[in-house]
Amino acid sequence: YPSWVHRIQAYLHRVPQRLDLWLMPSYSSVIYQHLRAGELAEALQAFEEMRGEGEQPSHAVYEMLIRGCTIAMHRPKPGQSADHLTANLVAKVLELFADMQAMGRKPDYLTYVELLRAMGKGGQMREATRIFEKMCANVWLLPEQRAFDSMYEACVLSGHYKEALDVFEEHEEMRKSLWKPRYTPVSFSLLLTAAAEPGADVATRLHKLPRILELMGGYGVLPR
């Protein structure tokens, strides 16, 4: 793009911050600014003040806080349990999700994607799988590339390669319908690892590799 396009984009990106300087900031914007600065504790404190004032948080507020918790987590290595901080953050995410429903805010697709990412990074594979299966079974929550990539990442980075390829089979089946969720370069990178990484069942997993490479060619994505 020409340079003026980038200048306009940078200006529009700063507009919300300028408005916050001119107007009395809302709790939502305060929470957002704290999370953007990596201040999760301050964002959660602002959330409690918001609730104390009787203001009902929006979907976006809950989703921002869940994402903030996810960013602060330390992903456990394969075969290891989550550390104390991450375990507490997973519990906080579940608490926020329960509070959201108690407040009459019905979780939507983006909420479930954030929840899936949180459970995946927190090492809660059973819970992540349960959430993903619930999305697959609900026509209003059907996963697209963001949900699939989040699930691939949760499986592969925790060493659950066979489970990642099970998700791949679900992805292939769903593409036979009208929904047709797309693959991304991230999908292929994670699927290559799931199919070819040394370890248990690698001989079985390698049988998926030709199909993954065929799909990559169809998408014009070349392996490095």
Side-chain angles (χ1 to χ4, degrees):
Y1 297 101
S3 58
W4 62 266
V5 173
H6 295 282
R7 288 197 298 271
I8 292 176
Q9 188 270 340
Y11 173 79
L12 293 176
H13 183 72
R14 290 193 297 269
V15 166
Q17 299 177 41
R18 291 176 174 175
L19 287 174
D20 279 344
L21 295 176
W22 298 335
L23 306 173
M24 179 66 71
S26 65
Y27 275 112
S28 298
S29 65
V30 169
I31 290 170
Y32 170 72
Q33 293 299 334
H34 279 310
L35 290 172
R36 190 173 179 182
E39 300 167 348
L40 178 59
E42 289 81 354
L44 290 171
Q45 179 62 37
F47 174 74
E48 293 301 328
E49 293 175 6
M50 181 183 194
R51 291 290 307 277
E53 291 289 333
E55 186 174 338
Q56 189 174 22
S58 65
H59 280 76
V61 168
Y62 284 108
E63 288 158 9
M64 284 190 297
L65 288 169
I66 291 173
R67 179 177 294 187
C69 291
T70 304
I71 291 171
M73 292 177 187
H74 302 146
R75 188 185 300 275
K77 294 181 180 179
Q80 295 183 358
S81 300
D83 59 27
H84 185 66
L85 170 65
T86 301
N88 284 341
L89 289 170
V90 167
K92 189 63 181 179
V93 166
L94 294 174
E95 179 186 322
L96 287 165
F97 186 64
D99 185 72
M100 179 181 188
Q101 296 174 90
M103 293 291 289
R105 298 290 189 186
K106 186 177 180 180
D108 57 15
Y109 176 77
L110 293 178
T111 310
Y112 274 96
V113 169
E114 294 297 341
L115 191 63
L116 180 60
R117 288 171 175 165
M119 295 299 106
K121 189 173 181 182
Q124 306 297 311
M125 275 305 303
R126 183 177 298 178
E127 187 67 17
T129 301
R130 188 189 68 78
I131 293 165
F132 184 74
E133 289 175 349
K134 182 174 182 178
M135 295 176 74
C136 290
N138 189 325
V139 69
W140 302 110
L141 300 174
L142 282 177
E144 40 80 88
Q145 54 263 33
R146 281 174 293 186
F148 273 106
D149 282 353
S150 297
M151 196 62 191
Y152 288 139
E153 182 181 64
C155 293
V156 171
L157 297 187
S158 62
H160 291 79
Y161 305 127
K162 179 182 179 299
E163 288 78 0
L165 295 175
D166 291 341
V167 175
F168 175 55
E169 290 184 5
E170 182 73 32
H171 201 158
E172 287 280 82
E173 283 298 314
M174 204 169 287
R175 284 189 56 76
K176 296 176 184 177
S177 68
L178 295 175
W179 184 237
K180 298 187 184 303
R182 292 180 56 81
Y183 291 96
T184 70
V186 173
S187 309
F188 292 129
S189 176
L190 293 165
L191 285 170
L192 286 174
T193 302
E197 187 73 12
D201 302 324
V202 65
T204 303
R205 290 187 278 112
L206 277 171
H207 288 296
K208 300 289 185 182
L209 193 54
R211 177 56 180 160
I212 295 169
L213 292 171
E214 179 187 353
L215 284 168
M216 289 177 69
Y219 274 76
V221 178
L222 299 178
R224 293 172 60 184

PDB file of all heavy atoms in Angstrom, residues 13-36:
ATOM      1  N   HIS A  13      -5.952   4.279  14.472  1.00  0.00           N
ATOM      2  CA  HIS A  13      -5.632   3.411  15.600  1.00  0.00           C
ATOM      3  C   HIS A  13      -5.518   4.209  16.899  1.00  0.00           C
ATOM      4  O   HIS A  13      -5.807   3.707  17.979  1.00  0.00           O
ATOM      5  CB  HIS A  13      -4.319   2.676  15.323  1.00  0.00           C
ATOM      6  CG  HIS A  13      -3.935   1.706  16.392  1.00  0.00           C
ATOM      7  ND1 HIS A  13      -4.604   0.511  16.588  1.00  0.00           N
ATOM      8  CD2 HIS A  13      -2.964   1.753  17.336  1.00  0.00           C
ATOM      9  CE1 HIS A  13      -4.061  -0.126  17.597  1.00  0.00           C
ATOM     10  NE2 HIS A  13      -3.061   0.589  18.070  1.00  0.00           N
ATOM     11  N   ARG A  14      -5.107   5.489  16.775  1.00  0.00           N
ATOM     12  CA  ARG A  14      -4.918   6.323  17.969  1.00  0.00           C
ATOM     13  C   ARG A  14      -6.179   7.072  18.376  1.00  0.00           C
ATOM     14  O   ARG A  14      -6.227   7.669  19.447  1.00  0.00           O
ATOM     15  CB  ARG A  14      -3.779   7.327  17.733  1.00  0.00           C
ATOM     16  CG  ARG A  14      -2.398   6.700  17.655  1.00  0.00           C
ATOM     17  CD  ARG A  14      -1.318   7.770  17.740  1.00  0.00           C
ATOM     18  NE  ARG A  14      -1.389   8.684  16.615  1.00  0.00           N
ATOM     19  CZ  ARG A  14      -0.725   8.523  15.466  1.00  0.00           C
ATOM     20  NH1 ARG A  14       0.051   7.473  15.307  1.00  0.00           N
ATOM     21  NH2 ARG A  14      -0.834   9.391  14.490  1.00  0.00           N
ATOM     22  N   VAL A  15      -7.207   7.082  17.523  1.00  0.00           N
ATOM     23  CA  VAL A  15      -8.437   7.839  17.823  1.00  0.00           C
ATOM     24  C   VAL A  15      -9.065   7.427  19.151  1.00  0.00           C
ATOM     25  O   VAL A  15      -9.416   8.284  19.967  1.00  0.00           O
ATOM     26  CB  VAL A  15      -9.446   7.728  16.666  1.00  0.00           C
ATOM     27  CG1 VAL A  15     -10.824   8.200  17.099  1.00  0.00           C
ATOM     28  CG2 VAL A  15      -8.968   8.571  15.485  1.00  0.00           C
ATOM     29  N   PRO A  16      -9.256   6.109  19.433  1.00  0.00           N
ATOM     30  CA  PRO A  16      -9.866   5.745  20.716  1.00  0.00           C
ATOM     31  C   PRO A  16      -9.078   6.263  21.924  1.00  0.00           C
ATOM     32  O   PRO A  16      -9.664   6.686  22.921  1.00  0.00           O
ATOM     33  CB  PRO A  16      -9.881   4.212  20.680  1.00  0.00           C
ATOM     34  CG  PRO A  16      -9.853   3.869  19.231  1.00  0.00           C
ATOM     35  CD  PRO A  16      -9.010   4.925  18.605  1.00  0.00           C
ATOM     36  N   GLN A  17      -7.739   6.253  21.828  1.00  0.00           N
ATOM     37  CA  GLN A  17      -6.941   6.763  22.941  1.00  0.00           C
ATOM     38  C   GLN A  17      -7.140   8.271  23.112  1.00  0.00           C
ATOM     39  O   GLN A  17      -7.205   8.771  24.240  1.00  0.00           O
ATOM     40  CB  GLN A  17      -5.454   6.459  22.679  1.00  0.00           C
ATOM     41  CG  GLN A  17      -5.156   4.967  22.571  1.00  0.00           C
ATOM     42  CD  GLN A  17      -3.707   4.715  22.244  1.00  0.00           C
ATOM     43  OE1 GLN A  17      -2.822   5.368  22.779  1.00  0.00           O
ATOM     44  NE2 GLN A  17      -3.444   3.764  21.364  1.00  0.00           N
ATOM     45  N   ARG A  18      -7.246   9.001  21.998  1.00  0.00           N
ATOM     46  CA  ARG A  18      -7.460  10.453  22.082  1.00  0.00           C
ATOM     47  C   ARG A  18      -8.828  10.770  22.671  1.00  0.00           C
ATOM     48  O   ARG A  18      -8.979  11.708  23.455  1.00  0.00           O
ATOM     49  CB  ARG A  18      -7.328  11.060  20.681  1.00  0.00           C
ATOM     50  CG  ARG A  18      -5.894  11.004  20.159  1.00  0.00           C
ATOM     51  CD  ARG A  18      -5.786  11.508  18.747  1.00  0.00           C
ATOM     52  NE  ARG A  18      -4.399  11.572  18.318  1.00  0.00           N
ATOM     53  CZ  ARG A  18      -4.019  11.890  17.096  1.00  0.00           C
ATOM     54  NH1 ARG A  18      -4.908  12.189  16.174  1.00  0.00           N
ATOM     55  NH2 ARG A  18      -2.738  11.929  16.775  1.00  0.00           N
ATOM     56  N   LEU A  19      -9.837   9.980  22.306  1.00  0.00           N
ATOM     57  CA  LEU A  19     -11.168  10.188  22.859  1.00  0.00           C
ATOM     58  C   LEU A  19     -11.162   9.970  24.371  1.00  0.00           C
ATOM     59  O   LEU A  19     -11.846  10.686  25.107  1.00  0.00           O
ATOM     60  CB  LEU A  19     -12.169   9.246  22.193  1.00  0.00           C
ATOM     61  CG  LEU A  19     -12.556   9.587  20.746  1.00  0.00           C
ATOM     62  CD1 LEU A  19     -13.435   8.494  20.172  1.00  0.00           C
ATOM     63  CD2 LEU A  19     -13.248  10.933  20.673  1.00  0.00           C
ATOM     64  N   ASP A  20     -10.396   8.972  24.839  1.00  0.00           N
ATOM     65  CA  ASP A  20     -10.312   8.736  26.273  1.00  0.00           C
ATOM     66  C   ASP A  20      -9.695   9.916  27.008  1.00  0.00           C
ATOM     67  O   ASP A  20      -9.982  10.164  28.173  1.00  0.00           O
ATOM     68  CB  ASP A  20      -9.471   7.474  26.549  1.00  0.00           C
ATOM     69  CG  ASP A  20     -10.294   6.209  26.372  1.00  0.00           C
ATOM     70  OD1 ASP A  20     -11.530   6.324  26.338  1.00  0.00           O
ATOM     71  OD2 ASP A  20      -9.704   5.133  26.263  1.00  0.00           O
ATOM     72  N   LEU A  21      -8.830  10.663  26.329  1.00  0.00           N
ATOM     73  CA  LEU A  21      -8.230  11.840  26.957  1.00  0.00           C
ATOM     74  C   LEU A  21      -9.231  12.988  27.032  1.00  0.00           C
ATOM     75  O   LEU A  21      -9.165  13.817  27.937  1.00  0.00           O
ATOM     76  CB  LEU A  21      -6.984  12.277  26.170  1.00  0.00           C
ATOM     77  CG  LEU A  21      -5.811  11.293  26.172  1.00  0.00           C
ATOM     78  CD1 LEU A  21      -4.694  11.817  25.280  1.00  0.00           C
ATOM     79  CD2 LEU A  21      -5.285  11.082  27.586  1.00  0.00           C
ATOM     80  N   TRP A  22     -10.136  13.064  26.065  1.00  0.00           N
ATOM     81  CA  TRP A  22     -11.104  14.158  26.013  1.00  0.00           C
ATOM     82  C   TRP A  22     -12.339  13.872  26.862  1.00  0.00           C
ATOM     83  O   TRP A  22     -12.941  14.794  27.413  1.00  0.00           O
ATOM     84  CB  TRP A  22     -11.543  14.409  24.563  1.00  0.00           C
ATOM     85  CG  TRP A  22     -10.432  14.824  23.660  1.00  0.00           C
ATOM     86  CD1 TRP A  22      -9.276  15.435  24.019  1.00  0.00           C
ATOM     87  CD2 TRP A  22     -10.367  14.639  22.239  1.00  0.00           C
ATOM     88  NE1 TRP A  22      -8.477  15.651  22.913  1.00  0.00           N
ATOM     89  CE2 TRP A  22      -9.124  15.178  21.809  1.00  0.00           C
ATOM     90  CE3 TRP A  22     -11.222  14.083  21.297  1.00  0.00           C
ATOM     91  CZ2 TRP A  22      -8.725  15.166  20.474  1.00  0.00           C
ATOM     92  CZ3 TRP A  22     -10.832  14.079  19.971  1.00  0.00           C
ATOM     93  CH2 TRP A  22      -9.597  14.607  19.563  1.00  0.00           C
ATOM     94  N   LEU A  23     -12.746  12.605  26.931  1.00  0.00           N
ATOM     95  CA  LEU A  23     -13.975  12.237  27.619  1.00  0.00           C
ATOM     96  C   LEU A  23     -13.661  11.489  28.907  1.00  0.00           C
ATOM     97  O   LEU A  23     -12.564  10.983  29.104  1.00  0.00           O
ATOM     98  CB  LEU A  23     -14.841  11.348  26.713  1.00  0.00           C
ATOM     99  CG  LEU A  23     -15.176  11.905  25.321  1.00  0.00           C
ATOM    100  CD1 LEU A  23     -15.878  10.834  24.506  1.00  0.00           C
ATOM    101  CD2 LEU A  23     -16.027  13.144  25.439  1.00  0.00           C
ATOM    102  N   MET A  24     -14.652  11.416  29.790  1.00  0.00           N
ATOM    103  CA  MET A  24     -14.505  10.616  30.986  1.00  0.00           C
ATOM    104  C   MET A  24     -14.428   9.148  30.570  1.00  0.00           C
ATOM    105  O   MET A  24     -15.368   8.632  29.968  1.00  0.00           O
ATOM    106  CB  MET A  24     -15.700  10.836  31.920  1.00  0.00           C
ATOM    107  CG  MET A  24     -15.627  10.004  33.193  1.00  0.00           C
ATOM    108  SD  MET A  24     -14.250  10.481  34.255  1.00  0.00           S
ATOM    109  CE  MET A  24     -14.832  12.083  34.829  1.00  0.00           C
ATOM    110  N   PRO A  25     -13.316   8.468  30.840  1.00  0.00           N
ATOM    111  CA  PRO A  25     -13.196   7.085  30.370  1.00  0.00           C
ATOM    112  C   PRO A  25     -14.198   6.171  31.057  1.00  0.00           C
ATOM    113  O   PRO A  25     -14.499   6.311  32.233  1.00  0.00           O
ATOM    114  CB  PRO A  25     -11.754   6.711  30.738  1.00  0.00           C
ATOM    115  CG  PRO A  25     -11.376   7.647  31.845  1.00  0.00           C
ATOM    116  CD  PRO A  25     -12.132   8.917  31.575  1.00  0.00           C
ATOM    117  N   SER A  26     -14.722   5.221  30.298  1.00  0.00           N
ATOM    118  CA  SER A  26     -15.632   4.225  30.846  1.00  0.00           C
ATOM    119  C   SER A  26     -14.829   3.118  31.514  1.00  0.00           C
ATOM    120  O   SER A  26     -13.618   2.994  31.316  1.00  0.00           O
ATOM    121  CB  SER A  26     -16.490   3.640  29.730  1.00  0.00           C
ATOM    122  OG  SER A  26     -15.668   2.917  28.821  1.00  0.00           O
ATOM    123  N   TYR A  27     -15.519   2.297  32.310  1.00  0.00           N
ATOM    124  CA  TYR A  27     -14.836   1.155  32.913  1.00  0.00           C
ATOM    125  C   TYR A  27     -14.276   0.229  31.838  1.00  0.00           C
ATOM    126  O   TYR A  27     -13.183  -0.316  31.988  1.00  0.00           O
ATOM    127  CB  TYR A  27     -15.802   0.386  33.820  1.00  0.00           C
ATOM    128  CG  TYR A  27     -15.908   0.951  35.213  1.00  0.00           C
ATOM    129  CD1 TYR A  27     -17.091   1.549  35.655  1.00  0.00           C
ATOM    130  CD2 TYR A  27     -14.836   0.885  36.098  1.00  0.00           C
ATOM    131  CE1 TYR A  27     -17.196   2.070  36.936  1.00  0.00           C
ATOM    132  CE2 TYR A  27     -14.928   1.396  37.377  1.00  0.00           C
ATOM    133  CZ  TYR A  27     -16.108   1.987  37.793  1.00  0.00           C
ATOM    134  OH  TYR A  27     -16.195   2.500  39.075  1.00  0.00           O
ATOM    135  N   SER A  28     -15.023   0.054  30.747  1.00  0.00           N
ATOM    136  CA  SER A  28     -14.559  -0.830  29.674  1.00  0.00           C
ATOM    137  C   SER A  28     -13.225  -0.352  29.105  1.00  0.00           C
ATOM    138  O   SER A  28     -12.304  -1.143  28.891  1.00  0.00           O
ATOM    139  CB  SER A  28     -15.604  -0.911  28.562  1.00  0.00           C
ATOM    140  OG  SER A  28     -16.817  -1.451  29.048  1.00  0.00           O
ATOM    141  N   SER A  29     -13.129   0.968  28.850  1.00  0.00           N
ATOM    142  CA  SER A  29     -11.884   1.497  28.291  1.00  0.00           C
ATOM    143  C   SER A  29     -10.743   1.443  29.299  1.00  0.00           C
ATOM    144  O   SER A  29      -9.591   1.193  28.935  1.00  0.00           O
ATOM    145  CB  SER A  29     -12.084   2.935  27.800  1.00  0.00           C
ATOM    146  OG  SER A  29     -12.382   3.802  28.882  1.00  0.00           O
ATOM    147  N   VAL A  30     -11.047   1.639  30.589  1.00  0.00           N
ATOM    148  CA  VAL A  30     -10.021   1.538  31.623  1.00  0.00           C
ATOM    149  C   VAL A  30      -9.479   0.110  31.690  1.00  0.00           C
ATOM    150  O   VAL A  30      -8.260  -0.115  31.757  1.00  0.00           O
ATOM    151  CB  VAL A  30     -10.595   1.961  32.998  1.00  0.00           C
ATOM    152  CG1 VAL A  30      -9.624   1.604  34.124  1.00  0.00           C
ATOM    153  CG2 VAL A  30     -10.888   3.457  33.014  1.00  0.00           C
ATOM    154  N   ILE A  31     -10.391  -0.866  31.653  1.00  0.00           N
ATOM    155  CA  ILE A  31      -9.974  -2.277  31.667  1.00  0.00           C
ATOM    156  C   ILE A  31      -9.122  -2.583  30.445  1.00  0.00           C
ATOM    157  O   ILE A  31      -8.071  -3.234  30.537  1.00  0.00           O
ATOM    158  CB  ILE A  31     -11.213  -3.192  31.726  1.00  0.00           C
ATOM    159  CG1 ILE A  31     -11.889  -3.074  33.098  1.00  0.00           C
ATOM    160  CG2 ILE A  31     -10.842  -4.651  31.441  1.00  0.00           C
ATOM    161  CD1 ILE A  31     -13.247  -3.747  33.189  1.00  0.00           C
ATOM    162  N   TYR A  32      -9.549  -2.088  29.288  1.00  0.00           N
ATOM    163  CA  TYR A  32      -8.796  -2.324  28.054  1.00  0.00           C
ATOM    164  C   TYR A  32      -7.391  -1.735  28.139  1.00  0.00           C
ATOM    165  O   TYR A  32      -6.403  -2.391  27.774  1.00  0.00           O
ATOM    166  CB  TYR A  32      -9.550  -1.716  26.868  1.00  0.00           C
ATOM    167  CG  TYR A  32      -8.746  -1.692  25.593  1.00  0.00           C
ATOM    168  CD1 TYR A  32      -8.491  -2.865  24.888  1.00  0.00           C
ATOM    169  CD2 TYR A  32      -8.231  -0.491  25.095  1.00  0.00           C
ATOM    170  CE1 TYR A  32      -7.744  -2.838  23.718  1.00  0.00           C
ATOM    171  CE2 TYR A  32      -7.490  -0.462  23.933  1.00  0.00           C
ATOM    172  CZ  TYR A  32      -7.245  -1.642  23.247  1.00  0.00           C
ATOM    173  OH  TYR A  32      -6.495  -1.613  22.094  1.00  0.00           O
ATOM    174  N   GLN A  33      -7.276  -0.508  28.633  1.00  0.00           N
ATOM    175  CA  GLN A  33      -5.961   0.135  28.723  1.00  0.00           C
ATOM    176  C   GLN A  33      -5.052  -0.612  29.698  1.00  0.00           C
ATOM    177  O   GLN A  33      -3.849  -0.763  29.453  1.00  0.00           O
ATOM    178  CB  GLN A  33      -6.120   1.606  29.147  1.00  0.00           C
ATOM    179  CG  GLN A  33      -6.802   2.488  28.122  1.00  0.00           C
ATOM    180  CD  GLN A  33      -6.056   2.565  26.800  1.00  0.00           C
ATOM    181  OE1 GLN A  33      -4.843   2.385  26.748  1.00  0.00           O
ATOM    182  NE2 GLN A  33      -6.788   2.820  25.721  1.00  0.00           N
ATOM    183  N   HIS A  34      -5.602  -1.077  30.817  1.00  0.00           N
ATOM    184  CA  HIS A  34      -4.793  -1.850  31.767  1.00  0.00           C
ATOM    185  C   HIS A  34      -4.301  -3.142  31.119  1.00  0.00           C
ATOM    186  O   HIS A  34      -3.117  -3.507  31.268  1.00  0.00           O
ATOM    187  CB  HIS A  34      -5.604  -2.177  33.021  1.00  0.00           C
ATOM    188  CG  HIS A  34      -5.686  -1.062  34.014  1.00  0.00           C
ATOM    189  ND1 HIS A  34      -4.574  -0.371  34.454  1.00  0.00           N
ATOM    190  CD2 HIS A  34      -6.754  -0.519  34.684  1.00  0.00           C
ATOM    191  CE1 HIS A  34      -4.931   0.543  35.333  1.00  0.00           C
ATOM    192  NE2 HIS A  34      -6.255   0.481  35.492  1.00  0.00           N
ATOM    193  N   LEU A  35      -5.186  -3.843  30.415  1.00  0.00           N
ATOM    194  CA  LEU A  35      -4.787  -5.098  29.788  1.00  0.00           C
ATOM    195  C   LEU A  35      -3.753  -4.857  28.700  1.00  0.00           C
ATOM    196  O   LEU A  35      -2.818  -5.637  28.531  1.00  0.00           O
ATOM    197  CB  LEU A  35      -6.014  -5.805  29.210  1.00  0.00           C
ATOM    198  CG  LEU A  35      -6.997  -6.368  30.249  1.00  0.00           C
ATOM    199  CD1 LEU A  35      -8.266  -6.858  29.566  1.00  0.00           C
ATOM    200  CD2 LEU A  35      -6.360  -7.500  31.049  1.00  0.00           C
ATOM    201  N   ARG A  36      -3.928  -3.769  27.967  1.00  0.00           N
ATOM    202  CA  ARG A  36      -2.968  -3.457  26.912  1.00  0.00           C
ATOM    203  C   ARG A  36      -1.582  -3.173  27.497  1.00  0.00           C
ATOM    204  O   ARG A  36      -0.560  -3.462  26.860  1.00  0.00           O
ATOM    205  CB  ARG A  36      -3.465  -2.242  26.126  1.00  0.00           C
ATOM    206  CG  ARG A  36      -2.671  -1.972  24.876  1.00  0.00           C
ATOM    207  CD  ARG A  36      -3.301  -0.884  24.053  1.00  0.00           C
ATOM    208  NE  ARG A  36      -2.515  -0.611  22.862  1.00  0.00           N
ATOM    209  CZ  ARG A  36      -2.803   0.319  21.967  1.00  0.00           C
ATOM    210  NH1 ARG A  36      -3.882   1.074  22.145  1.00  0.00           N
ATOM    211  NH2 ARG A  36      -2.053   0.515  20.917  1.00  0.00           N
TER     212      ARG A  36
END
